[in-house]
Amino acid sequence: MSVEDTDKIDIMTRSEDGAVTLVITDHLPWGDGEHLLALQAKLNRYLAFVESGQHLEHGDVAPDAVVRIKVVMKFAPDQEAEQFLFKAGEITATMGVALTYEVTG
C-alpha cells in the first residue's frame, strides 16, 4: 500500500507505552499537484479512521492512547509540500493527533 491507496491504512503500530502510530508510505516524487491531493486524501482517511474509533478495534488499544500519523517519504518535500504538512500538522494537533514526516530515500 502507499499514498496512492487513499482508502487504506498502510501500517499501524503500537509502542510499549500504548501509543498508536499510523504510517503513510509515500514513494512519489514532488512537483506534481496530484501527489499533494493524494496525500491530503490519505491524511483525511487516517483522521476519519481515528475519529470513528476504528483504531481502537485493532489490538489492545486504550481509548486514551496517544495517536500519531507519520508520513515516511522517499523524496524530501518541496516548499509547497512542506507548507501543506505544517498546516496539516496544526489541524491534526487540534484533534489530538501528532503529524510527523521522515525522508528515507
Side-chain angles (χ1 to χ4, degrees), residues 41-64:
K42 188 79 166 191
L43 281 171
N44 286 337
R45 173 67 185 109
Y46 276 46
L47 291 171
F49 183 78
V50 172
E51 284 185 317
S52 69
Q54 287 179 286
H55 67 296
L56 300 173
E57 300 169 9
H58 298 270
D60 188 22
V61 178
D64 61 344

